[in-house]
Amino acid sequence: MANVTINEGLCKGCVFCVQFCPFDCLSMSDGLNAKGFPYPVLKDEEKCTGCGACACLCPDFAIEVYN
């Protein structure tokens, strides 16, 4: 299982990470960050393989993945 760290404050809510996660592990939060944007949350840790697609696609560098 991978350790996914999401820096909510850096996120601009583009949704790339959610749309392109090959294992459907992320979803957008119901809450908003300080900038007023929804941010991703890891909804299913067990399905996450740590592939890093979310971190690679994030234009704001808001996601880090550690295996």
Side-chain angles (χ1 to χ4, degrees), residues 16-53:
F16 290 159
C17 58
V18 173
Q19 290 176 334
F20 295 103
C21 175
F23 302 101
D24 193 31
C25 299
L26 298 168
S27 64
M28 294 307 281
S29 69
D30 292 330
L32 303 176
N33 64 15
K35 296 176 187 175
F37 298 110
Y39 50 87
V41 292
L42 189 59
K43 69 178 181 180
D44 195 343
E45 291 182 34
E46 297 300 318
K47 288 171 56 176
C48 181
T49 64
C51 71

